[in-house]
């Protein structure tokens, strides 16, 4: 059974930083695409960062490029998101996602995501 458990969310002032973690079980993070999505109040779920399997090439949406970094610790089977220079527009629920090559329905950057964490809230005050 695949489980993704996010942690590290919270409230920070604009300009601050947070580091999100996603502990993965029942699944090998390094062998598949992993990603981060977010959903702001009243908006749809938005993909913004992806790390590929193997060598781990990364890709970011323009809205976070240069401020956020997605990474993976293969030994810990954990995905991370370092977020710097946060602003009010980054306020959202943040979700860790994993590729499901058989049943994934949400496509981003060449990966079909089908496994999701429960989300962790990030609130940035201006």
């Amino acid at each position: 059974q695949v489980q993704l458990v996010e942690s590290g969310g919270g409230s920070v002032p604009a300009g601050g930083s947070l580091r999100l973690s996603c502990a993965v079980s029942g699944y090998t993070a390094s062998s598949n695409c992993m990603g981060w999505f977010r959903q702001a109040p009243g908006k749809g779920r938005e993909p913004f960062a992806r790390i590929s399997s193997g060598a781990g090439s990364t890709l970011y949406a323009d809205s976070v490029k240069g401020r956020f970094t997605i990474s993976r610790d293969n030994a810990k089977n954990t995905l991370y998101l370092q977020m710097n220079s946060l602003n009010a527009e980054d306020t959202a629920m943040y979700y860790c996602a994993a590729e499901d090559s058989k049943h994934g329905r949400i496509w981003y950057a060449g990966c079909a995501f089908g496994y999701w964490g429960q989300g962790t809230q990030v609130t940035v005050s201006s």
Side-chain angles (χ1 to χ4, degrees):
Q1 182 180 359
V2 178
Q3 284 193 318
L4 309 176
V5 180
E6 302 98 334
S7 61
S11 297
V12 294
S17 298
L18 280 174
R19 188 194 195 204
L20 305 184
S21 299
C22 173
V24 182
S25 59
Y27 184 95
T28 303
S30 61
S31 298
N32 298 277
C33 277
M34 299 287 297
W36 287 97
F37 289 61
R38 64 186 181 182
Q39 186 167 14
K43 296 187 178 181
R45 193 169 293 192
E46 169 200 18
F48 64 86
R50 181 228 70 194
I51 185 166
S52 68
S53 60
S57 64
T58 58
L59 185 145
Y60 301 93
D62 287 345
S63 58
V64 306
K65 196 175 296 181
R67 300 187 299 123
F68 291 10
T69 303
I70 186 172
S71 63
R72 187 180 65 213
D73 185 324
N74 294 340
K76 295 182 178 179
N77 208 28
T78 299
L79 183 72
Y80 298 101
L81 181 70
Q82 178 66 43
M83 304 187 292
N84 299 327
S85 302
L86 286 161
N87 57 59
E89 288 69 41
D90 296 317
T91 294
M93 185 71 79
Y94 283 69
Y95 297 92
C96 171
E99 182 179 24
D100 180 351
S101 57
K102 292 184 179 178
H103 304 110
R105 292 289 181 267
I106 306 300
W107 284 87
Y108 176 61
C111 302
F113 292 94
Y115 299 110
W116 302 89
Q118 81 288 351
T120 186
Q121 178 68 37
V122 172
T123 302
V124 184
S125 56
S126 57

